[in-house]
Amino acid sequence: MRLKVVIISLVSLLLMGCGDKTKPQKSDIPLFEAFLASNPISEVSSEIAIASIYKPGDALFNAVWGVQRRRWDIAEKELKPWVEKNDPEAMFWMASIIYGSSILDTPKAKRLFMESAKLGNPYAALFFSPKNNQCQLYYSDVCSEEWVSKAQTLFAEQAKKGDVRGIYYSKVLNNPTHEEYVQAVIEAAENHYYYPLVEYANKTARKHEPNKDMEKMAIKLLQYARYHNFVPAIEMLANYEAKNKRTSSLQMKTLYEQGLKLGSKKLWQSYIALAINNGKINNNELFITAQAADIFFGGLIGLGLIDKPKDEDELKEANKKAQEKVDEVKKVIYIDGAHVPLY
């Protein structure tokens, strides 16, 4: 199994170089208040309205579903035949999960990224931005603004077709004013692309001593995305609860429930770790949850610390229930080429 202890967010890294243009400001509050007032939601939606790049049944769905779950074994197996057909998206995803893995895979990934970019994948082109530290780390000889220009052109082409990501990234890569950036974030959220909204909120909420008004707004924005079942928002709210020493709060409980149903690895891990430590869940239920996580993610710390049911029939029933938990997880792709999880 391949392992790289890093999360890359290609476009986010690029935006860090835009300085104050993407820095949250108090003057943004009325803009976001107006957005929330015109798009009211106060409880978790029964539907998952996320602008996913793939739906179940799409050619690359199972491959990217594997990437999202950090199941590199599944992802590579599913991607390989499409890479052999020179599919640019498959090339990008394959490169994203293998670069930096070995002295053989690193040059292979470089070739795949470049071929993908030349064939029209904007995220592959953006990987070679000089502001992307992963490019600087592995392929410093080819990182250049020319690739950023290539990405801008490709995103603009996607925007013309109404693609929500193409619209957003073609705007934010085109030297926007701060207000134009905020409006692009809002427009993306209105079209169910929540990453920009969550990233904006995270810039404020993660500060050691954030402005209180901005902090309140950040939490409202995260709640908005969370009510729409967007996993990164759920995870950030859980981090916020933990940061404020509220791991036993009602809010945290509901975040765990929602995160487990949507396949959040962070919340599965945290839930199991806390359950082991506090001893409030009986061993059989704990085994079922840990076994389900092990099946879903292909190996998860915690299962080895839990005793299996000793009775053969009980173990069989527990394994059945674990598989049922796995089958209940909603199959929704929320990652994209700008947000590739790699740990």
Side-chain angles (χ1 to χ4, degrees):
M1 181 178 72
R2 305 181 189 278
L3 178 64
K4 288 188 286 183
V5 186
V6 62
I7 286 184
I8 60 171
S9 181
L10 308 183
V11 174
S12 295
L13 286 172
L14 181 61
L15 290 179
M16 287 175 66
C18 296
D20 290 340
K21 292 183 179 180
T22 62
K23 183 179 180 180
Q25 301 175 11
K26 286 190 71 174
S27 59
D28 300 339
I29 293 178
L31 298 175
F32 283 113
E33 289 284 10
F35 159 69
L36 293 172
S38 61
N39 295 276
I41 184 168
S42 58
E43 60 183 19
V44 176
S45 174
S46 59
E47 299 180 356
I48 302 179
I50 293 175
S52 297
I53 47 175
Y54 306 108
K55 307 288 185 185
D58 289 349
L60 294 182
F61 180 87
N62 288 334
V64 181
W65 178 237
V67 175
Q68 184 168 291
R69 294 159 56 191
R70 286 77 161 174
R71 289 295 303 269
W72 317 130
D73 55 333
I74 293 174
E76 288 193 51
K77 180 180 178 181
E78 292 284 341
L79 288 169
K80 186 177 179 181
W82 293 99
V83 169
E84 292 173 350
K85 295 177 182 179
N86 294 322
D87 181 276
E89 292 189 51
M91 287 179 172
F92 168 79
W93 288 109
M94 182 69 86
S96 295
I97 65 175
I98 68 171
Y99 80 89
S101 296
S102 72
I103 59 173
L104 295 177
D105 283 335
T106 298
K108 177 182 176 182
K110 179 181 179 180
R111 177 182 61 79
L112 290 173
F113 275 133
M114 285 193 165
E115 286 299 314
S116 176
K118 291 175 182 177
L119 289 171
N121 188 296
Y123 303 105
L126 200 54
F127 182 88
F128 294 111
S129 164
K131 295 184 178 71
N132 179 11
N133 61 11
Q134 296 299 302
C135 182
Q136 294 292 352
L137 181 62
Y138 292 102
Y139 311 118
S140 60
D141 60 317
V142 293
C143 308
S144 75
E145 288 294 336
E146 291 182 10
W147 287 106
V148 178
S149 297
K150 173 75 171 177
Q152 286 177 298
T153 299
L154 294 172
F155 278 125
E157 292 174 359
Q158 291 184 348
K160 291 177 183 178
K161 300 176 183 178
D163 180 86
V164 62
R165 289 171 178 79
I167 293 170
Y168 175 74
Y169 292 117
S170 62
K171 288 181 178 180
V172 299
L173 289 172
N174 194 30
N175 194 30
T177 64
H178 178 74
E179 186 171 346
E180 288 172 339
Y181 159 68
V182 171
Q183 290 296 345
V185 170
I186 290 173
E187 183 180 347
E190 289 177 331
N191 286 286
H192 309 296
Y193 183 46
Y194 302 113
Y195 262 121
L197 190 75
V198 168
E199 289 171 341
Y200 175 95
N202 190 41
K203 291 175 187 177
T204 296
R206 73 185 178 190
K207 291 182 179 179
H208 179 62
E209 293 183 356
N211 174 278
K212 293 302 179 183
D213 291 334
M214 291 295 293
E215 184 178 28
K216 289 178 182 178
M217 175 55 61
I219 298 306
K220 286 182 182 179
L221 296 178
L222 290 175
Q223 286 283 19
Y224 177 85
R226 173 252 172 143
Y227 288 149
H228 284 284
N229 294 294
F230 189 58
V231 169
I234 299 169
E235 293 175 342
M236 288 182 189
L237 284 169
N239 287 340
Y240 184 76
E241 289 295 289
K243 171 186 172 183
N244 289 282
K245 302 184 181 353
R246 297 195 292 258
T247 55
S248 298
S249 67
L250 178 60
Q251 168 83 326
M252 185 64 97
K253 179 182 178 182
T254 59
L255 291 171
Y256 275 132
E257 291 174 351
Q258 188 180 12
L260 266 59
K261 290 179 181 177
L262 294 171
S264 164
K265 183 175 183 179
K266 290 182 180 179
L267 291 179
W268 278 78
Q269 286 177 311
S270 178
Y271 178 82
I272 293 169
L274 286 174
I276 291 173
N277 291 330
N278 65 30
K280 293 182 179 179
I281 300 178
N282 69 64
N283 189 80
N284 195 52
E285 285 300 314
L286 188 53
F287 173 80
I288 291 171
T289 302
Q291 177 73 343
D294 189 73
I295 295 170
F296 191 70
F297 297 109
L300 193 68
I301 295 173
L303 183 60
L305 302 175
I306 302 167
D307 294 330
K308 293 182 179 180
K310 295 179 180 179
D311 181 83
E312 188 174 331
D313 289 337
E314 287 182 5
L315 178 59
K316 184 177 180 180
E317 182 63 20
N319 285 328
K320 178 183 176 182
K321 290 183 178 179
Q323 185 61 54
E324 289 173 352
K325 273 185 176 289
V326 171
D327 295 339
E328 288 171 359
V329 175
K330 303 295 184 182
K331 289 189 175 182
V332 178
I333 301 295
Y334 56 83
I335 63 170
D336 57 27
H339 307 88
V340 184
L342 289 176
Y343 78 89

